[in-house]
Amino acid sequence: MTTTVKPQVGEQVPLLDRAASIGYRYGLLAVLAVMVVVFSLARPAFGTFGNALIVLQSVAIVAVVALGVTVSMAAGGFDLSAGANVGFVVMVTASAMVRFNLTGPTAIAAGLLAGLLVAGVNVLLIVVAKVPDLVATLGTMFLFQGLALIITSGQSVSAGMTTDGVTAPGKYTSGFVWLGAGTVASVPVPVIVMALLAAAAYVFLGHTRWGRALYAIGGNPRASRLAGIRVGRYRALAYAVSGLCAAVGGILLSARLGRGDVGAGDPYLLQSVAAALIGFAVLGANKPNALGTVVGAVFVGVMISGLTMLNAPYYTQTFVQGALLVGSLVMSYTLTPGRRR
Amino acid sequence: MTQTAGPVVSVSRVSKRYGATRALRDVTLELRPGEVLGLIGTNGAGKSTLINVLSGVTRPTSGEIRLRGRTVELSGPLEAQDAGVQTVHQNIDDGVVFGTTVAENLTLDSLARRGAGWFTTRARTREAAREIAEAARLSVPLDAPVEALPASARQQIVIARALSRNPRLLILDEPTSTLSATESAVLLTAVRRMAASGVAVLFVSHRLSEIQDLCDRVAVLRDGTIQRVFTTPVDGPSLVTAMLGDEIEATRHEARPVGEPILLGEGMRTRPGAEPFDLRVSPGEVLGVTGLIGSGKTELLEQIYGARPLVSGALTLGDRPYRPRDPHAAIGAGVAFVAEERAAQATLPGWSVRAHVTLPRLRAHSRTGLLSRRAETGSARRVIERFGVRGPGPEAGIEALSGGNQQKVVVGRWMEGAFRLMLLDEPFRGVDVGARADISRVLREISTTTGVVVASSDPQEVLQVADRVLVLYEGTVTGELRAGEVTAERLAALMAGEGR
């Protein structure tokens, strides 16, 4: 067969292509910057440090969950159970403290274990039973949405609630609530957690051999196996990371709510998937990446907060997020330079 | 089976050019009603192009095609079908619709037909399907879901559907390549029956035995031209010689001391049911494995690499028993493998040369898990230098390299490690002469201390590097030759399963 010679680096690239490539690389960041400037001019209260922290706090939990989704996507998977995982962990932590009167640290441990349990079911289905990722995690999503209802008999969990005529003995500990509402040097704790996890995910995906192996599996599982990568184990690892991130998100959400609300985790699936997918278009990565995911989450946060300040009603938020997602999908799938098919 | 009727198809002086490549040159061929014509040739000989021309997928650059005496210009597959040419492609699953029943698959055509009405009823579908199945003597339950059937049954469905269009010419493109021996036998019987009913069949295959069994005549394609047309009884070795050419030369490499064996295989089989054989790989001599496509070369190498389970026997690597669970274990034991299909099995779209080089040995390029860019770039540069990889450097995407240079990267990446045994499956496919020479040179160099096994369906490629050649025929080892003593006749006889 004949081989085609692709243009080599240093060859003359038409100006238009180069402009498109620059636009693609920095487009999303530019739009983000423009948005911040415009909102700040329109509403001076927007451009303050305090508001920046508020925006970051509003997106912190989504970003944390999205980082996990990013890791599963890197390995060519897709974790649809992330939102249900968040909801399940909220219920587990709330029940641990309120109904079983356990300490804050125990509740955190229980929450993390719950997240790993969800991941375990995913791994069992995907790696052992060979069910395709999308439908397997869809099944897990239903399973744990249901389980969250069962363990709380379908009610919300809050201090002083009664189950079967017995008043719950415990309440949210102050240490646990601090995770949601506390600050360190005026920075909210969830924002700090987000920053730490983002840095960890960035290093893990971009600079460790495990991250490289995950991307390899996402790119060509057959070639990865023949290069000696144990594909099953790495896919298990990816879902475990995803489950743990969702659990951390669930713990932060539980702490912020101060109670276990039924269905609290539901919005987090779509929002975190959107953040991860928007992240594809950041700096021309064109693949799931930690930095992009955080930028994606912040992008959504800035947009919604700005529009809210401009008196856009809250019920437009979902549509705005959808439009953002669609726009960035077109950006990474259609407008990517060198991706013409 | 000569009949007095005129030819169904006659192809005269057909040529097809793709840019500078001449895929077909002045091909002239005739098929008569009821005749089975075998078509055989190596990869790139022009078989696919000829099939595409006949089935209306591509237009010839020059020449004439006549169907039942009338000159035709086929401008698309549908037109060819209307003219009575049906093609069953190699990939069976492209021909069936999963998630539906056998009956629905048999009657697929009626869905697209105009005036078929808006509604289909189960009864009407079944009735139509029953007729088609009966005509083709299909013995598959009509209500069975297609995906529950074995490959052979799915193929029968595709063929039955093709027959339901009353073709004059039926083209079967490697129909037995995914079938077992018994399934193939069933298919061959069916083909004979079709021919007996007056259909002309063009039967493309790599399996000599079935070609010899089935076909009235066999046309051999090489480099786009019909080398020879054989009539039955077809002599296997002559067929192989016509396919491969007779300019195969014994290549005498410099004699080197042969060391203690690195790999010993006892009682190995390429596939269940094939005859067992022993294998020995030692430093100081490159072992070549050759045989026609589908003769079991890939199966042999993949067993040694742990990419498929060992069929039978036992392996010894160094002085220890060796039975890799997966490629990871094989690499751990010091075995490297270069797969046959580069794009599907080795390269990652969008990845740099550097990342391709280090992928099999990420641990060696990292400290406490953190990858060292310096170590990675160093490895990539060494591979580029040693193999003379021409391209924009280690950070360039693999797609920026030519096929030959990509191959240098996926071969060369193993050289950085401490490997004892290197297995290469068709390492020269789609590789230009220069790259082939570069790769051969390095393989000869490393073979002084490591075991090297090179498999190719082109014996000339194997002889370029190998000191000793194992010949496979339909899964079984038919002989072993020293590269210096190879003659074209001997090789052809072994590749055709004769002269054992």
Side-chain angles (χ1 to χ4, degrees):
Chain A
M1 294 293 115
T2 51
T3 51
T4 49
V5 180
K6 300 266 169 68
Q8 314 238 311
V9 170
E11 248 175 68
Q12 278 297 311
V13 185
L15 204 64
L16 206 68
D17 277 14
R18 200 178 302 172
S21 143
I22 290 171
Y24 174 68
R25 263 183 90 78
Y26 302 104
L28 204 79
L29 289 175
V31 174
L32 182 59
V34 168
M35 242 166 32
V36 170
V37 171
V38 168
F39 287 141
S40 305
L41 289 177
R43 289 282 185 279
F46 184 89
T48 59
F49 180 68
N51 187 54
L53 288 179
I54 292 171
V55 169
L56 283 178
Q57 180 161 25
S58 73
V59 301
I61 296 174
V62 168
V64 164
V65 179
L67 285 168
V69 171
T70 306
V71 172
S72 68
M73 279 182 181
F78 206 113
D79 193 352
L80 285 180
S81 65
N85 195 341
V86 171
F88 182 60
V89 170
V90 167
M91 288 317 218
V92 167
T93 49
S95 306
M97 286 178 291
V98 174
R99 287 179 59 187
F100 299 100
N101 203 10
L102 299 170
T103 63
T106 320
I108 291 173
L112 293 175
L113 279 177
L116 276 181
L117 177 68
V118 179
V121 174
N122 281 333
V123 170
L124 223 55
L125 286 173
I126 293 163
V127 179
V128 181
K130 315 259 182 236
V131 179
D133 298 65
L134 218 57
V135 284
T137 53
L138 184 73
T140 316
M141 174 181 107
F142 269 121
L143 222 52
F144 282 91
Q145 275 178 349
L147 204 58
L149 290 175
I150 291 174
I151 57 171
T152 59
S153 319
Q155 352 170 13
S156 292
V157 179
S158 54
M161 69 183 288
T162 51
T163 353
D164 307 327
V166 184
T167 307
K171 60 179 179 57
Y172 270 64
T173 65
S174 59
F176 194 89
V177 170
W178 175 81
L179 288 176
T183 55
V184 175
S186 81
V187 180
V189 175
V191 176
I192 295 171
V193 172
M194 172 186 81
L196 290 177
L197 272 182
Y202 174 78
V203 172
F204 176 73
L205 282 177
H207 295 279
T208 67
R209 60 185 168 95
W210 305 293
R212 181 72 64 78
L214 289 176
Y215 278 125
I217 292 166
N220 186 343
R222 239 176 121 193
S224 305
R225 175 169 178 263
L226 288 176
I229 293 168
R230 283 179 285 193
V231 174
R233 292 186 187 200
Y234 275 98
R235 287 166 66 83
L237 172 71
Y239 280 102
V241 171
S242 182
L244 276 178
C245 284
V248 171
I251 290 166
L252 293 178
L253 181 61
S254 173
R256 197 171 79 190
L257 296 172
R259 46 183 280 150
D261 273 339
V262 170
D266 294 351
Y268 285 88
L269 169 64
L270 288 181
Q271 292 188 13
S272 57
V273 168
L277 287 173
I278 291 170
F280 279 37
V282 173
L283 292 180
N286 207 15
K287 61 183 183 190
N289 68 100
L291 180 68
T293 297
V294 173
V295 172
V298 169
F299 199 101
V300 173
V302 165
M303 189 125 193
I304 285 175
S305 143
L307 289 175
T308 310
M309 283 193 172
L310 294 175
N311 300 326
Y314 73 92
Y315 49 77
T316 54
Q317 291 184 1
T318 306
F319 180 82
V320 168
Q321 287 187 46
L324 266 178
L325 176 58
V326 168
S328 58
L329 285 178
V330 169
M331 207 150 155
S332 30
Y333 284 96
T334 319
L335 302 179
T336 313
R339 231 196 199 222
R340 300 178 194 99
R341 290 167 219 236
Chain B
M1 232 182 266
T2 36
Q3 289 170 13
T4 44
V8 174
V9 193
S10 60
V11 174
S12 59
R13 306 200 45 137
V14 161
S15 298
K16 176 71 190 176
R17 276 171 185 279
Y18 291 104
T21 352
R22 298 176 69 183
L24 289 178
R25 315 181 200 190
D26 284 342
V27 169
T28 299
L29 210 59
E30 261 186 21
L31 267 102
R32 299 186 167 277
E35 181 183 44
V36 182
L37 176 69
L39 182 65
I40 196 165
T42 54
N43 273 319
K47 295 188 306 282
S48 314
T49 312
L50 182 56
I51 294 170
N52 286 342
V53 164
L54 284 173
S55 57
V57 175
T58 43
R59 284 179 151 201
T61 315
S62 63
E64 193 186 48
I65 300 174
R66 273 184 295 179
L67 291 172
R68 283 180 283 158
R70 278 205 359 249
T71 305
V72 288
E73 287 214 20
L74 302 173
S75 58
L78 286 176
E79 221 170 286
Q81 291 185 11
D82 287 342
V85 181
Q86 284 293 331
T87 311
V88 174
H89 287 286
Q90 184 178 4
N91 196 348
I92 301 164
D93 292 344
D94 288 350
V96 290
V97 180
F98 283 84
T100 59
T101 64
V102 172
E104 282 166 318
N105 266 280
L106 286 172
T107 55
L108 264 187
D109 295 335
S110 65
L111 290 181
R113 198 170 295 150
R114 241 177 245 184
W118 284 21
F119 300 101
T120 58
T121 66
R122 194 171 288 245
R124 225 186 295 163
T125 304
R126 255 196 82 96
E127 180 53 29
R130 207 177 47 77
E131 275 171 31
I132 293 170
E134 231 161 61
R137 297 204 202 170
L138 190 68
S139 57
V140 177
L142 293 180
D143 293 324
V146 168
E147 56 269 33
L149 299 174
S152 57
R154 278 183 231 154
Q155 186 177 47
Q156 286 171 19
I157 293 166
V158 177
I159 293 176
R161 203 169 70 218
L163 286 177
S164 74
R165 297 164 184 154
N166 295 318
R168 303 294 172 132
L169 170 65
L170 181 66
I171 302 174
L172 298 174
D173 186 7
E174 295 189 37
T176 54
S177 58
T178 52
L179 302 187
S180 71
T182 36
E183 289 171 339
S184 300
V186 173
L187 176 75
L188 298 193
T189 315
V191 172
R192 281 195 198 92
R193 203 171 50 232
M194 290 170 217
S197 72
V199 179
V201 180
L202 184 65
F203 187 85
V204 184
S205 175
H206 289 293
R207 295 195 184 169
L208 288 189
S209 56
E210 59 192 33
I211 287 252
Q212 285 169 306
D213 256 24
L214 177 72
C215 300
D216 303 307
R217 293 187 300 148
V218 185
V220 180
L221 262 181
R222 172 152 56 96
D223 299 332
T225 55
I226 300 274
Q227 284 297 314
R228 236 180 111 175
V229 179
F230 293 85
T231 44
T232 38
V234 183
D235 176 49
S238 315
L239 206 57
V240 173
T241 308
M243 274 170 74
L244 302 174
D246 51 9
E247 69 267 34
I248 289 168
E249 283 167 34
T251 321
R252 205 177 291 274
H253 299 290
E254 79 287 8
R256 295 174 299 177
V258 176
E260 287 292 303
I262 284 172
L263 180 79
L264 284 173
E266 278 173 46
M268 290 188 77
R269 283 182 170 87
T270 55
R271 52 185 78 141
E275 283 172 43
F277 59 93
D278 293 345
L279 188 74
R280 174 172 46 85
V281 184
S282 315
E285 61 168 10
V286 174
L287 178 66
V289 179
T290 192
L292 299 178
I293 294 164
S295 59
K297 304 180 293 295
T298 301
E299 288 92 327
L300 173 62
L301 297 192
E302 288 190 351
Q303 283 182 56
I304 302 172
Y305 191 57
R308 65 172 74 209
L310 198 63
V311 178
S312 69
L315 294 170
T316 313
L317 188 71
D319 44 16
R320 285 214 212 125
Y322 167 68
R323 193 179 185 122
R325 255 182 336 128
D326 54 14
H328 181 84
I331 294 171
V335 179
F337 176 64
V338 176
E340 179 177 12
E341 292 170 62
R342 192 168 54 240
Q345 298 178 299
T347 57
L348 288 136
W351 280 43
S352 65
V353 169
R354 167 181 54 79
H356 276 90
V357 166
T358 57
L359 186 64
R361 298 176 55 252
L362 288 174
R363 190 190 288 266
H365 294 92
S366 56
R367 195 180 294 166
T368 57
L370 279 178
L371 287 164
S372 153
R373 181 59 74 98
R374 246 176 70 201
E376 284 197 81
T377 307
S379 286
R381 286 198 190 289
R382 280 193 294 280
V383 170
I384 288 173
E385 196 171 313
R386 184 163 186 191
F387 280 82
V389 176
R390 274 170 287 278
E395 290 309 311
I398 193 87
E399 292 95 344
L401 272 55
S402 71
N405 284 303
Q406 288 185 21
Q407 187 73 355
K408 288 178 189 174
V409 171
V410 298
V411 173
R413 63 180 178 178
W414 297 104
M415 308 289 175
E416 282 291 294
F419 284 95
R420 296 196 276 179
L421 176 63
M422 177 126 194
L423 313 165
L424 302 103
D425 195 3
E426 300 285 357
F428 303 122
R429 184 181 291 174
V431 168
D432 58 283
V433 182
R436 189 182 296 191
D438 288 337
I439 293 171
S440 301
R441 171 180 51 78
V442 179
L443 290 179
R444 296 284 310 166
E445 274 169 33
I446 63 161
S447 70
T448 51
T449 51
T450 58
V452 176
V453 184
V454 176
S456 169
S457 53
D458 182 346
Q460 195 61 56
E461 289 178 358
V462 166
L463 288 171
Q464 188 174 3
V465 282
D467 298 277
R468 192 155 57 86
V469 180
L470 214 59
V471 186
L472 288 170
Y473 168 75
E474 302 197 346
T476 297
V477 174
T478 49
E480 193 182 300
L481 301 168
R482 299 220 62 81
E485 298 155 3
V486 168
T487 61
E489 298 84 58
R490 182 89 184 109
L491 200 59
L494 292 175
M495 288 177 81
E498 291 177 17
R500 259 191 279 176

